[in-house]
Amino acid sequence: MTKQIIVPFGPQHPVLPEPIHLDLVLEDERVIDAIPSIGYIHRGFEKLVEKREYTEYVYIAERTCGICSFIHGATFCQGIEQIMNIDVPERAQFLRVIWSEYSRLHSHLLWLGLFADSFGFENLFMNAWRIRERILDVMEQTTGGRVIQGSCKIGGVRKDISNEKLDEMRRDLDSIESEIKDLTSVFLQDDSIKHRLRNVGKLSKEDAYHLGAVGPTARGSGVAIDLRKTGYGAYGKLNFQLVTDSCGDCYGRCAVRAKELFTSIDFIRQSIQKIPDGPIDVKVTGAPNGEFFARAEQPRGELVHYLKGNGTKFLVRSRIRTPTLTNIPPLVRMLQGCELADVPVIVLSIDPCISCTER
Amino acid sequence: MTREIQETVPVEVGHLIGKVEEFRDGSYRLVQINCSKVGDVYEINYSFDKDYVFRNLRITVTADTEIPSISGMYWGAFIYENEMHDLFGIRVKGMNIDFKGHLFTTAVKFPFSIAPSTPFKGEKP
């Protein structure tokens, strides 16, 4: 019988933007099992709900993640609005979609860059991040913040985008789309990338579904789950084709994210075309009394904010279930049977966001 | 405003496994497990989804109660069950991967817990 050894992977590793530790059980260079450990950056966000009024907690919720921050804030607001039966003006709902999709563009481009870096394509990494800068510029111009926007509030949004600026953004999207086409054609068609990613980190459709995979991790295995299909916010007024890939490997997950860039651009275009004039917020009075599981589609997958209020200005409970938390069990399954050299690429293929996960 | 219908069904701890089996057999995916402290008891919600229909099972337990793991039916449940243990001090029996309190490292042990009235076997009060 081959001798088994345990190789620690992380918490600090060149491919990991944030700390996660894996104990890899190896036979020769083949991974037999992987035991994940997190907990290096637990920040106690959920405890803070006892100290901050529900209106202030929007800022906390938004800081859960430094990449998909806007969607965290919007999902928290969506949950409170459901509990309090607040009708958010239509213009605000469209603005939330626009900023959410810009967040997705920024997140996917960031990941594509990091992924390219993980398999040694420095130039591709720089190109992905160069385009991402243009997305961040729009976020900054329209909200005032590149990473933390602070533009969402309960009952609507804090800032409007003028129709002239929306026109400018629509025109700008044409050249961004053209640059993204060039970039993604390398990811999708380059032989050396296909060779590096094909059949690496396989996850079957059945495993993806039953292990609770969400987002591009699930869709890259052919599981058609995307919360935007539920039509929350203004998504119900917009059309889109869900992107899936049946490969179930690192290439499949990469292909889904690359193609979803165009879905996001299409969402923004449709929103700019359909956004009505009108108010961007409503006055909110009272305090939430009840509970709701607010769900939204983040760049990494399904996000759940469970909120429970008791009629006071302090919530009883805020629980944030991030996509990475539920993508950890599928990651363990992907790693079983892989080669040690493939571990960094496989770990990165789920787009792990550990700060989000630990809250 | 469109309001998503979210069904929550209270169940006894003893019937939890049977009810979860029904969801598994009905091809529901496990969305999440979460715990809330409500007065001197815990509410634990098990959320499932199929074709965007969101359903919950809810058990209400005291700090002394040991709850059964559902990781035999939903392998990925271990991540939520370890979290419940580390943040609330809830004892979960039969987890497929038990981190024994080391999944989340917090400065305060069991930061959301209600102190159990009787120490668990092998634990210091």
Side-chain angles (χ1 to χ4, degrees):
Chain A
M1 185 186 157
T2 313
K3 189 181 172 188
Q4 290 191 347
I5 56 166
I6 295 176
V7 172
F9 178 89
Q12 303 301 326
H13 189 281
V15 300
L16 294 174
E18 296 168 286
I20 179 171
H21 176 85
L22 294 162
D23 277 326
L24 302 170
V25 183
L26 301 183
E27 277 184 8
D28 292 332
E29 293 216 6
R30 188 163 294 277
V31 177
I32 303 302
D33 204 0
I35 301 160
S37 302
I38 52 176
Y40 296 94
I41 39 174
H42 179 71
R43 291 168 292 166
F45 269 32
E46 293 173 351
K47 191 76 178 166
L48 263 178
V49 81
E50 297 167 11
K51 309 276 182 194
R52 295 282 184 275
E53 292 183 18
Y54 74 95
T55 46
E56 293 175 316
Y57 197 77
V58 183
Y59 302 110
I60 311 286
E62 213 177 11
R63 279 157 178 78
T64 310
C65 182
I67 301 168
C68 40
S69 50
F70 180 82
I71 302 178
H72 269 292
T75 310
F76 175 82
C77 292
Q78 187 186 310
I80 297 289
E81 287 153 4
Q82 289 277 347
I83 296 171
M84 298 177 73
N85 285 314
I86 297 166
D87 280 320
V88 177
E90 221 176 327
R91 187 172 179 85
Q93 292 191 5
F94 276 98
L95 287 169
R96 285 182 183 178
V97 168
I98 290 171
W99 282 318
S100 295
E101 293 308 319
Y102 269 104
S103 297
R104 198 177 318 275
L105 284 172
H106 134 59
S107 177
H108 280 2
L109 285 165
L110 180 138
W111 178 83
L112 285 168
L114 292 174
F115 202 48
D117 190 44
S118 77
F119 50 71
F121 271 62
E122 282 296 313
N123 198 279
L124 204 51
F125 155 72
M126 289 178 200
N127 262 305
W129 281 37
R130 185 178 53 78
I131 303 170
R132 175 176 164 264
E133 277 303 307
R134 296 187 62 183
I135 305 296
L136 291 178
D137 285 346
V138 176
M139 296 292 265
E140 188 175 13
Q141 287 157 11
T142 53
T143 67
R146 278 164 56 88
V147 177
I148 303 289
Q149 282 75 37
S151 54
C152 206
K153 69 172 191 174
I154 295 161
V157 291
R158 283 176 216 287
K159 291 186 176 174
D160 201 353
I161 306 178
S162 69
N163 289 338
E164 293 73 32
K165 181 63 190 172
L166 286 170
D167 272 346
E168 186 190 321
M169 285 158 62
R170 187 174 45 78
R171 286 194 301 274
D172 207 27
L173 279 175
D174 293 341
S175 70
I176 290 174
E177 186 179 32
S178 164
E179 288 189 13
I180 288 177
K181 267 184 190 156
D182 290 342
L183 178 83
T184 53
S185 69
V186 182
F187 278 99
L188 298 174
Q189 287 162 24
D190 185 89
D191 284 337
S192 55
I193 292 180
K194 280 185 186 172
H195 183 70
R196 183 72 190 89
L197 304 179
R198 283 273 192 215
N199 295 314
V200 173
K202 288 283 275 185
L203 182 70
S204 70
K205 186 177 181 180
E206 292 70 33
D207 278 350
Y209 187 79
H210 291 293
L211 293 175
V214 293
T217 305
R219 295 194 285 276
S221 290
V223 180
I225 302 172
D226 189 320
L227 263 288
R228 290 173 292 181
K229 281 281 178 195
T230 61
Y232 67 87
Y235 282 109
K237 299 180 182 74
L238 307 169
N239 303 313
F240 86 110
Q241 195 67 39
L242 204 145
V243 178
T244 58
D245 194 295
S246 57
C247 295
D249 52 17
C250 287
Y251 180 81
R253 293 185 278 280
C254 178
V256 166
R257 290 192 183 90
K259 290 172 187 169
E260 281 186 354
L261 292 169
F262 300 101
T263 312
S264 292
I265 290 173
D266 189 43
F267 267 128
I268 298 168
R269 281 202 181 112
Q270 286 186 60
S271 300
I272 291 173
Q273 195 185 357
K274 293 183 178 176
I275 190 169
D277 288 328
I280 58 165
D281 62 348
V282 289
K283 193 174 178 197
V284 176
T285 53
N289 192 2
E291 62 183 334
F292 194 74
F293 292 86
R295 299 196 293 163
E297 189 70 20
Q298 262 194 345
R300 292 170 187 79
E302 177 192 49
L303 166 73
V304 184
H305 275 250
Y306 170 67
L307 306 167
K308 189 180 179 82
N310 60 358
T312 68
K313 55 191 177 181
F314 296 98
L315 292 177
V316 175
R317 178 81 168 116
S318 159
R319 198 290 174 116
I320 307 167
R321 200 284 269 135
T322 63
T324 300
L325 187 70
T326 191
N327 278 333
I328 287 176
L331 171 66
V332 172
R333 184 60 52 89
M334 287 175 210
L335 291 169
Q336 290 167 349
C338 78
E339 293 292 321
L340 178 62
D342 292 333
V343 171
V345 173
I346 296 172
V347 171
L348 207 58
S349 76
I350 70 158
D351 193 4
C353 185
I354 307 302
S355 299
C356 253
T357 299
E358 298 194 18
R359 294 148 276 144
Chain B
M1 179 182 62
T2 51
R3 190 178 169 92
E4 185 187 353
I5 297 164
Q6 300 185 337
E7 181 195 59
T8 300
V9 179
V11 291
E12 298 292 326
V13 178
H15 298 149
L16 176 69
I17 295 293
K19 288 286 179 190
V20 173
E21 263 173 357
E22 287 174 21
F23 279 101
R24 185 201 54 187
D25 295 344
S27 292
Y28 279 80
R29 69 185 170 93
L30 176 68
V31 175
Q32 61 101 45
I33 306 172
N34 85 324
C35 183
S36 304
K37 186 171 63 179
V38 181
D40 54 359
V41 293
Y42 295 117
E43 271 182 6
I44 304 174
N45 296 303
Y46 295 76
S47 309
F48 303 88
D49 179 289
K50 184 182 171 187
D51 301 330
Y52 306 117
V53 175
F54 189 74
R55 298 174 67 190
N56 290 291
L57 292 177
R58 175 172 293 168
I59 57 172
T60 305
V61 297
T62 61
D64 303 327
T65 314
E66 188 176 53
I67 63 166
S69 168
I70 65 161
S71 58
M73 286 166 283
Y74 287 97
W75 190 82
F78 75 85
I79 203 90
Y80 304 111
E81 291 173 341
N82 277 284
E83 182 190 9
M84 271 196 297
H85 174 268
D86 293 0
L87 299 184
F88 289 84
I90 289 176
R91 296 183 290 260
V92 186
K93 191 179 178 183
M95 282 189 280
N96 52 6
I97 301 178
D98 188 347
F99 287 88
K100 300 192 183 300
H102 296 288
L103 181 67
F104 286 97
T105 310
T106 51
V108 178
K109 201 176 180 188
F110 309 140
F112 292 99
S113 75
I114 307 160
S117 55
T118 52
F120 189 57
K121 191 180 175 184
E123 280 182 4
K124 288 179 182 174

